[in-house]
Amino acid sequence: MKIQHLLEEIEHGRMANPLGTPPEHIYDVMDEVYEVETKFFNAINKPNGHLPFEQRARIGADGISKLGKHTKLPISDLIPMEPSLNIEHMQRELSNEPATVYLYKGKCYISDGNHRVAKAFQRGETHVIVNLIDVNDIARAAEEMGK
Protein backbone atom coordinates (compact mmCIF):
# COMPACT_ATOMS: atom_id res chain seq x y z
CA MET A 1 0.00 0.00 0.00
CA LYS A 2 2.76 2.49 0.90
CA ILE A 3 4.66 1.65 -2.29
CA GLN A 4 1.54 2.25 -4.38
CA HIS A 5 1.05 5.62 -2.68
CA LEU A 6 4.70 6.57 -3.35
CA LEU A 7 4.38 5.61 -7.00
CA GLU A 8 1.25 7.75 -7.31
CA GLU A 9 3.04 10.69 -5.67
CA ILE A 10 5.98 10.39 -8.09
CA GLU A 11 3.57 10.10 -11.02
CA HIS A 12 1.99 13.41 -9.91
CA GLY A 13 5.36 15.17 -9.64
CA ARG A 14 5.80 14.75 -5.91
CA MET A 15 8.32 12.92 -3.77
CA ALA A 16 8.31 11.76 -0.16
CA ASN A 17 9.68 14.43 2.15
CA PRO A 18 13.28 13.37 2.96
CA LEU A 19 12.82 14.87 6.44
CA GLY A 20 10.18 12.26 7.17
CA THR A 21 6.44 12.13 7.43
CA PRO A 22 4.72 14.75 9.58
CA PRO A 23 3.25 13.32 12.79
CA GLU A 24 -0.42 12.38 12.78
CA HIS A 25 -1.29 15.35 15.01
CA ILE A 26 0.15 17.86 12.52
CA TYR A 27 -3.30 19.07 11.42
CA ASP A 28 -4.22 19.80 15.03
CA VAL A 29 -1.01 21.80 15.40
CA MET A 30 -1.69 23.68 12.16
CA ASP A 31 -5.25 24.50 13.30
CA GLU A 32 -4.07 25.77 16.69
CA VAL A 33 -1.31 27.91 15.15
CA TYR A 34 -3.75 29.26 12.54
CA GLU A 35 -6.12 30.27 15.35
CA VAL A 36 -3.35 32.27 17.06
CA GLU A 37 -2.33 33.87 13.73
CA THR A 38 -5.95 34.84 13.10
CA LYS A 39 -6.16 36.57 16.49
CA PHE A 40 -2.97 38.46 15.62
CA PHE A 41 -4.29 39.68 12.26
CA ASN A 42 -7.70 40.50 13.74
CA ALA A 43 -5.96 42.61 16.38
CA ILE A 44 -4.00 44.48 13.68
CA ASN A 45 -7.19 45.20 11.75
CA LYS A 46 -9.30 46.11 14.78
CA PRO A 47 -10.57 49.62 13.97
CA ASN A 48 -10.85 50.69 17.60
CA GLY A 49 -7.65 49.05 18.84
CA HIS A 50 -5.09 51.20 20.64
CA LEU A 51 -2.65 51.07 17.71
CA PRO A 52 -2.90 53.97 15.26
CA PHE A 53 -3.84 52.96 11.71
CA GLU A 54 -0.37 53.88 10.36
CA GLN A 55 1.30 51.57 12.86
CA ARG A 56 -1.12 48.73 12.07
CA ALA A 57 -0.44 49.22 8.35
CA ARG A 58 3.34 49.06 8.92
CA ILE A 59 3.02 45.80 10.87
CA GLY A 60 0.98 44.26 8.05
CA ALA A 61 1.57 40.74 6.82
CA ASP A 62 5.21 40.76 7.89
CA GLY A 63 4.23 41.36 11.49
CA ILE A 64 4.46 37.74 12.56
CA SER A 65 7.81 37.15 10.88
CA LYS A 66 9.19 40.21 12.69
CA LEU A 67 8.51 38.42 15.98
CA GLY A 68 11.02 35.72 15.02
CA LYS A 69 14.73 35.45 15.58
CA HIS A 70 17.22 34.07 13.08
CA THR A 71 18.55 30.96 14.77
CA LYS A 72 20.75 28.06 13.70
CA LEU A 73 18.97 24.78 14.45
CA PRO A 74 19.77 21.12 13.81
CA ILE A 75 17.70 19.84 10.90
CA SER A 76 16.94 16.76 13.00
CA ASP A 77 14.98 18.99 15.44
CA LEU A 78 12.66 20.32 12.71
CA ILE A 79 9.27 18.73 12.07
CA PRO A 80 8.01 19.03 8.48
CA MET A 81 4.44 20.10 7.83
CA GLU A 82 4.41 18.71 4.29
CA PRO A 83 4.35 14.91 3.77
CA SER A 84 5.54 15.21 0.17
CA LEU A 85 7.38 17.79 -1.86
CA ASN A 86 7.16 18.99 -5.45
CA ILE A 87 9.99 17.33 -7.41
CA GLU A 88 10.33 20.21 -9.88
CA HIS A 89 10.53 22.70 -7.02
CA MET A 90 13.29 20.62 -5.38
CA GLN A 91 15.32 20.66 -8.62
CA ARG A 92 15.16 24.46 -8.97
CA GLU A 93 17.51 26.88 -7.27
CA LEU A 94 15.73 27.78 -4.05
CA SER A 95 15.81 31.01 -2.11
CA ASN A 96 18.43 31.52 0.58
CA GLU A 97 15.75 33.07 2.77
CA PRO A 98 15.61 31.33 6.17
CA ALA A 99 12.74 28.90 6.58
CA THR A 100 9.97 30.03 8.91
CA VAL A 101 9.73 27.71 11.89
CA TYR A 102 7.15 27.90 14.65
CA LEU A 103 8.10 26.92 18.18
CA TYR A 104 4.94 25.39 19.57
CA LYS A 105 4.67 23.38 22.78
CA GLY A 106 8.43 22.84 22.79
CA LYS A 107 8.68 21.54 19.21
CA CYS A 108 9.85 23.22 16.00
CA TYR A 109 7.49 22.99 13.02
CA ILE A 110 8.53 24.14 9.53
CA SER A 111 5.77 26.49 8.41
CA ASP A 112 7.39 27.90 5.27
CA GLY A 113 10.53 26.53 3.67
CA ASN A 114 9.98 22.76 3.74
CA HIS A 115 11.64 22.47 0.30
CA ARG A 116 14.64 24.60 1.35
CA VAL A 117 15.27 22.58 4.51
CA ALA A 118 14.82 19.27 2.65
CA LYS A 119 17.30 20.40 0.00
CA ALA A 120 19.85 21.38 2.68
CA PHE A 121 19.34 17.94 4.25
CA GLN A 122 19.94 16.26 0.89
CA ARG A 123 23.18 18.25 0.49
CA GLY A 124 24.34 16.74 3.79
CA GLU A 125 23.91 19.84 5.91
CA THR A 126 23.09 19.15 9.55
CA HIS A 127 22.00 22.67 10.59
CA VAL A 128 20.07 25.51 8.95
CA ILE A 129 19.39 29.12 9.79
CA VAL A 130 15.66 29.61 10.38
CA ASN A 131 13.39 32.43 11.45
CA LEU A 132 12.19 30.90 14.72
CA ILE A 133 8.87 32.29 15.90
CA ASP A 134 7.46 31.33 19.29
CA VAL A 135 3.69 30.93 18.96
CA ASN A 136 3.35 32.32 22.51
CA ASP A 137 4.94 35.57 21.27
CA ILE A 138 2.29 35.80 18.54
CA ALA A 139 -0.46 35.31 21.14
CA ARG A 140 1.05 37.96 23.46
CA ALA A 141 1.39 40.46 20.59
CA ALA A 142 -2.22 39.86 19.56
CA GLU A 143 -3.39 40.38 23.13
CA GLU A 144 -1.34 43.57 23.48
CA MET A 145 -2.60 45.01 20.18
CA GLY A 146 -6.18 44.09 20.96
CA LYS A 147 -6.34 46.20 24.12
Side-chain angles (χ1 to χ4, degrees):
M1 186 68 164
K2 283 187 178 184
I3 295 207
Q4 179 63 35
H5 179 71
L6 275 175
L7 292 173
E8 287 171 10
E9 290 281 322
I10 291 169
E11 189 175 302
H12 291 97
R14 300 197 63 82
M15 61 182 270
N17 191 328
L19 302 175
T21 304
E24 287 186 25
H25 70 278
I26 196 68
Y27 295 109
D28 294 333
V29 169
M30 290 167 74
D31 286 346
E32 291 169 26
V33 169
Y34 176 75
E35 190 175 308
V36 173
E37 288 176 328
T38 300
K39 287 179 184 174
F40 179 88
F41 288 116
N42 286 344
I44 288 174
N45 295 317
K46 184 177 178 183
N48 298 326
H50 78 283
L51 289 179
F53 174 78
E54 297 80 26
Q55 190 173 355
R56 290 195 316 261
R58 270 197 316 267
I59 293 171
D62 290 336
I64 289 178
S65 67
K66 290 177 184 173
L67 295 172
K69 296 175 184 77
H70 286 202
T71 308
K72 187 175 187 174
L73 292 178
I75 292 175
S76 60
D77 287 355
L78 304 178
I79 300 169
M81 287 186 150
E82 293 186 41
S84 64
L85 303 173
N86 181 291
I87 293 171
E88 186 178 309
H89 195 141
M90 287 292 291
Q91 292 170 342
R92 277 189 263 145
E93 188 61 37
L94 300 177
S95 161
N96 288 329
E97 193 73 24
T100 300
V101 173
Y102 284 132
L103 177 62
Y104 182 69
K105 295 184 178 180
K107 296 186 179 179
C108 297
Y109 296 92
I110 306 168
S111 171
D112 179 50
N114 282 273
H115 288 82
R116 285 172 268 157
V117 174
K119 197 163 185 173
F121 177 76
Q122 287 183 326
R123 286 192 304 261
E125 296 176 31
T126 58
H127 290 72
V128 289
I129 302 289
V130 302
N131 187 28
L132 184 64
I133 304 168
D134 188 328
V135 174
N136 292 321
D137 290 343
I138 301 170
R140 276 191 289 279
E143 186 177 315
E144 189 62 33
M145 287 188 292
K147 289 181 179 178

